[in-house]
Amino acid sequence: MNSAAWHARIVCGKEVGAGFLVSPRRVLTCAHVVRWSGTSAVTVTFPNSRELGPVTATVAVHGGWAGDAADPGDLAVLELDREVPLEPAQFAPPDTELGSVIEELGGPGPELDAPVLVAYGFPKGYDEGMLARYQAVPGALVSDEWRQLEAVTAHGQPLAPGFSGAAATLADGRVVGMVSTVAGARDVRVGRMLPTQVMVRYWPELCELVPTSEHRPDAVRRLYTLVRRAVAEGVDCDPNRLYVAAVGPFGPPLPEGGFASLGAAAGYVQWEVPGTEAVTAFADRLRELLDAPPVRPATPAWSPILVEIDHSGAGPDQFTVEVSAYRDGHRRRVGSHRLPRTAVEAYVQERIDEAFTQLAPGAEELLTFVLPREWLNEPVAHWECGADDATPLGCAYPLVVVDRSRHRSGRLRHQLAKKWQKLDACPGARLHRVDCGIRERPPSLRKRLRDDDADLAGFSFPPGTGRSHFEVGLNTPVPVLLWPRTGCTDTAHDGPCSGAAFLDELAATVAGVPPAELPRHVMALRETAAADDDPDRHWARDVQLLWDDPRCFPEPVAGLHSPVA
């Protein structure tokens, strides 16, 4: 077996870079190498195994790189469209690139006996590849993200364009990092790499592949196999309690803020807790939970297509739009772009159609718009499917909105997940009304929703009319909120109104509907309203559904100061 067979050349649009195979279908590279994956194909070749031919790939994991050279998260995981029969790369323990410190008696101070690192890249004119030799600079990481590299000689191959995404390897071929910043025009002797302890921040699954000195490889494999199974099966497991049980009463205390995910807790136990007992205890307890008899269905049936919209920071009219799809519990990025507000709808139409190619055959699609709070009343359900199809998105697919701040809150995700565990066995949820004219103060509404353990809240007015009341609904773990996009502009009036009529109709139509089925039920309501003889006057024409089940959107969230932070 060719020990260099796992080195990969990657082409995406006009961008050429490198990468390396880490499993039969996964290749690691830089996010900027595949920055055009939304509009251009990603093609992977293995120069030392030419008989395999080109292999197409999709971006399965994106590290969050925002587009500038100094932005963090410049990592992407590619999923090949077929397995390749090659031995994947092997990793060295963290910080191996620094070698050992030697201090000569009477000398000026410690020196670093840093090993020579080799990168296999593809500069212009060398499709077969070239090798560059560099050494890691000791000391702190640059911006807590990059290890600086300096050339071994002044006359060798520099880290030119085409080396981005290349594995930085020791003499024995083990990987210690990934080249992310190539040499500049002013100094071809300097570059940067993402060391493995930074790479795992953006892809926690890598923890399983990077060895640690204390833990046996089979124990680490068992740990992450159980974590993946627990996430896939939706096991009701609090990562904070699991951590405390694993380390025992005399172990390191729970870090401030706790853990937002099971993977974050597992990574912290592996990398930060001394000894091997905690890893074994964590895995054993997780196995017990997995083997416990199921009480209720735990895995949501939906396969979301996620449309995330947020302010880009480049100006009040500039927004970042990212579209992705979930398959087998993994998020597959379809495209991301910075756009003016007027261009958002057209971009979303194109990417949604492409996202369907990422879903498993027979999957139940759920179109989910994750929106900033001021966009929650946006008529996304009325956006057309495309330039050649005027069907409203809300009539073509089950469509829901999610508040972006709530979607990113570890506290609310945890509380909502517990709520949904109970709702799985619920034949129908009772509508908790928030009417005009009742003059209920927001603190009183919050107490009512908590005391009643509300699962479904209906508002008679849009968010802009009673913002403080809506804030209560969003910041309280109520899984489902419904409201009319148009209607009352003042909640302080007396007497009947269109909003009260809306809630009367809504209460009757959702009675007995399982909460998990509400997206499909509301889609049917929208179709009925659109087909009415007078659609503009139908009560359900502008119904907006905020439906928030965190189990549908598994995120490998990491935290704290561990390598998975």
Side-chain angles (χ1 to χ4, degrees):
M1 178 64 68
N2 186 345
S3 61
W6 46 262
H7 292 288
R9 181 175 185 266
I10 298 166
V11 178
C12 179
K14 297 180 180 180
E15 199 79 32
V16 176
F20 50 104
L21 190 74
V22 294
S23 76
R25 288 191 64 178
R26 292 287 177 99
V27 170
L28 274 173
T29 188
C30 288
H32 77 259
V33 171
V34 292
R35 71 177 80 189
W36 310 118
S37 61
T39 56
S40 302
V42 180
T43 304
V44 179
T45 54
F46 297 91
N48 293 292
S49 299
R50 297 183 182 181
E51 69 279 2
L52 295 176
V55 184
T56 58
T58 55
V59 179
V61 177
H62 190 276
W65 179 71
D68 293 331
D71 287 333
D74 191 7
L75 176 145
V77 183
L78 307 183
E79 182 163 328
L80 306 177
D81 69 354
R82 57 183 169 88
E83 292 190 1
V84 292
L86 301 176
E87 195 72 28
Q90 301 295 314
F91 288 83
D95 292 331
T96 309
E97 71 272 12
L98 298 179
S100 58
V101 175
I102 39 181
E103 185 173 6
E104 295 184 5
L105 185 63
E111 295 181 1
L112 195 79
D113 184 22
V116 173
L117 305 179
V118 179
Y120 193 137
F122 304 91
K124 188 175 181 179
Y126 293 93
D127 291 358
E128 72 282 8
M130 289 286 285
L131 301 177
R133 300 195 305 155
Y134 277 69
Q135 284 180 301
V137 176
L141 297 179
V142 176
S143 194
D144 196 36
E145 182 83 2
W146 299 279
R147 176 74 67 192
Q148 184 170 316
L149 301 175
E150 293 187 354
V152 174
T153 68
H155 308 292
Q157 168 66 48
L159 292 177
F163 276 86
S164 293
T169 65
L170 301 168
D172 60 10
R174 290 181 299 160
V175 178
V176 296
M178 179 177 70
V179 175
S180 61
T181 309
V182 297
R186 290 180 298 177
D187 190 351
V188 298
R189 298 184 64 251
V190 178
R192 290 177 179 177
M193 77 171 186
L194 292 177
T196 52
Q197 63 265 37
V198 172
M199 295 168 68
V200 296
R201 296 178 189 169
Y202 306 113
W203 190 39
E205 289 183 34
L206 192 60
C207 286
E208 181 179 352
L209 303 178
V210 179
T212 47
S213 57
E214 288 188 311
H215 302 291
R216 300 191 322 272
D218 60 326
V220 174
R221 280 195 299 272
R222 176 176 179 254
L223 173 67
Y224 288 101
T225 297
L226 292 170
V227 168
R228 286 194 299 272
R229 182 183 160 195
V231 171
E233 296 182 11
V235 172
D236 184 13
C237 174
D238 183 345
N240 298 315
R241 291 184 180 179
L242 194 58
Y243 171 82
V244 171
V247 301
F250 302 108
L254 184 70
E256 184 179 355
F259 300 104
S261 72
L262 197 57
Y268 195 89
V269 167
Q270 177 194 354
W271 292 71
E272 298 294 331
V273 178
T276 61
E277 296 82 2
V279 164
T280 301
F282 193 99
D284 287 346
R285 178 56 183 150
L286 192 53
R287 179 61 184 268
E288 292 174 8
L289 294 171
L290 285 164
D291 290 344
V295 177
R296 60 179 70 91
T299 304
W302 297 107
S303 294
I305 291 175
L306 211 62
V307 180
E308 293 192 82
I309 301 174
D310 197 13
H311 297 280
S312 69
D317 188 50
Q318 296 293 314
F319 294 86
T320 299
V321 183
E322 180 168 311
V323 179
S324 52
Y326 280 89
R327 179 169 178 168
D328 301 327
H330 294 286
R331 182 174 174 181
R332 300 183 175 205
R333 184 170 172 270
V334 175
S336 179
H337 212 278
R338 181 186 298 164
L339 300 161
R341 182 162 186 156
T342 54
V344 170
E345 182 176 349
Y347 180 80
V348 168
Q349 290 170 339
E350 295 174 5
R351 292 296 169 264
I352 285 175
D353 195 57
E354 185 179 346
F356 273 90
T357 65
Q358 301 297 321
L359 298 182
E364 294 289 342
E365 70 274 6
L366 176 66
L367 197 53
T368 305
F369 281 79
V370 180
L371 304 172
R373 197 154 287 188
E374 67 272 19
W375 276 57
L376 283 179
N377 209 44
E378 188 73 16
V380 291
H382 290 281
W383 288 4
E384 296 179 352
C385 286
D388 301 320
D389 185 356
T391 306
L393 288 173
C395 293
Y397 317 109
L399 183 151
V400 302
V401 299
V402 174
D403 175 60
R404 184 172 182 83
S405 297
R406 178 158 136 154
H407 185 68
R408 298 217 162 195
S409 168
R411 172 183 66 86
L412 286 172
R413 281 174 65 89
H414 175 72
Q415 292 175 332
L416 286 167
K418 290 196 297 183
K419 278 284 190 75
W420 278 104
Q421 290 286 350
K422 293 187 294 183
L423 288 177
D424 283 337
C426 178
R430 180 171 66 90
L431 180 69
H432 287 70
R433 299 176 62 121
V434 184
D435 281 281
C436 303
I438 60 172
R439 295 177 173 81
E440 185 177 26
R441 295 174 55 248
S444 176
L445 173 61
R446 179 172 57 246
K447 186 176 187 301
R448 173 161 68 95
L449 294 177
R450 287 192 183 279
D451 289 348
D452 293 348
D453 198 20
D455 303 317
L456 173 60
F459 292 78
S460 65
F461 45 85
T465 299
R467 188 168 303 279
S468 58
H469 289 79
F470 255 90
E471 295 280 346
V472 169
L474 293 171
N475 295 327
T476 304
V478 180
V480 183
L481 306 178
L482 293 114
W483 67 89
R485 286 191 47 262
T486 57
C488 292
T489 59
D490 181 9
T491 62
H493 66 79
D494 294 318
C497 64
S498 61
F502 170 86
L503 290 184
D504 291 341
E505 295 278 4
L506 184 65
T509 193
V510 302
V513 178
E517 290 297 316
L518 279 173
R520 190 176 287 109
H521 187 74
V522 171
M523 172 187 165
L525 284 177
R526 289 170 174 149
E527 287 186 289
T528 300
D532 193 80
D533 292 338
D534 191 358
D536 290 340
R537 296 177 63 86
H538 194 281
W539 72 270
R541 181 184 186 276
D542 282 321
V543 61
Q544 195 85 319
L545 170 62
L546 186 147
W547 186 94
D548 200 352
D549 184 351
R551 300 171 304 167
C552 287
F553 315 105
E555 293 283 357
V557 181
L560 314 168
H561 301 291
S562 71
V564 291

